[in-house]
Amino acid sequence: MTYWDKTNWNCYLEQVEDLLETPAVRAMQGIRHHPGVSCYEHSVFVSYTAFRLARKWRLDYRAAARAGLLHDLYLYDPRSLRSYRQCFAHPAAALRNAVKLCGGLSSKEENIILSHMWPMARRRPRCREALTVNLADKLCATAEVTHIWRRLALRRILLA
């Protein structure tokens, strides 16, 4: 089984397609996240990875996919803050924007978004889905900064 396949991608889209079409999520395309990676690309990468892991582990894959997509919905230039400040400030900003976008979130989704920077930030994951998104975020960030991301089929689909 490969990382990306049409069946998994279509199931993933069923969970997040309504969010992908919103102006707020689309605005992440214009925000630089990691070198050569937009906030949108990173968020979809994390969301899809968390979705696949949660599905494999029989967790709430819908919550993992949706909160994974919204975990960096901070919608400002991250270079406007010192890097250490950005680490602590952006989860709260992302949560505010996600609540506004969705009209509310479950407590599980809120914890996923607020705790995705753990252990660097103080908010701890309180459910397995939050740990899954946290792990996906670290794996995806590593793939992005080591340029593995550039070779993945998922990136080509997002940029098409």
Side-chain angles (χ1 to χ4, degrees), residues 9-26:
W9 181 251
N10 289 335
C11 184
Y12 168 74
L13 287 178
E14 288 174 14
Q15 313 311 311
V16 299
E17 198 158 32
D18 61 320
L19 297 174
L20 289 171
E21 301 300 322
T22 64
V25 171
R26 290 284 176 185

Side-chain angles (χ1 to χ4, degrees), residues 30-155:
I31 299 172
R32 180 181 171 267
H33 196 66
H34 296 130
V37 180
S38 73
C39 191
Y40 177 82
E41 290 171 307
H42 170 74
S43 295
V44 173
F45 189 21
V46 169
S47 175
Y48 182 69
T49 301
F51 163 80
R52 291 293 305 271
L53 291 171
R55 206 165 164 203
K56 181 177 181 64
W57 296 334
R58 294 185 172 96
L59 303 176
D60 183 350
Y61 58 84
R62 180 174 174 79
R66 292 177 72 82
L69 182 62
L70 301 173
H71 82 282
D72 278 338
L73 188 70
Y74 48 82
L75 301 178
Y76 58 79
D77 183 352
R79 294 172 290 185
S80 66
L81 299 175
R82 292 186 176 145
S83 61
Y84 74 88
R85 180 88 169 96
Q86 167 66 0
C87 171
F88 300 108
H90 84 272
L95 178 61
R96 283 192 303 274
N97 291 330
V99 167
K100 186 190 302 183
L101 174 67
C102 298
L105 298 172
S106 69
S107 60
K108 184 183 290 187
E109 292 167 325
E110 287 182 8
N111 181 247
I112 291 169
I113 293 169
L114 282 176
S115 68
H116 80 269
M117 290 302 294
W118 185 82
M120 291 176 63
R122 293 181 188 169
R123 298 289 179 130
R124 294 180 55 163
R126 303 232 180 260
C127 60
R128 289 177 290 181
E129 292 80 3
L131 285 167
T132 302
V133 172
N134 190 296
L135 173 63
D137 188 39
K138 306 313 177 259
L139 291 171
C140 294
T142 300
E144 291 161 3
V145 299
T146 59
H147 304 289
I148 294 169
W149 162 247
R150 296 175 190 269
R151 297 189 300 267
L152 296 178
L154 179 59
R155 181 173 189 261

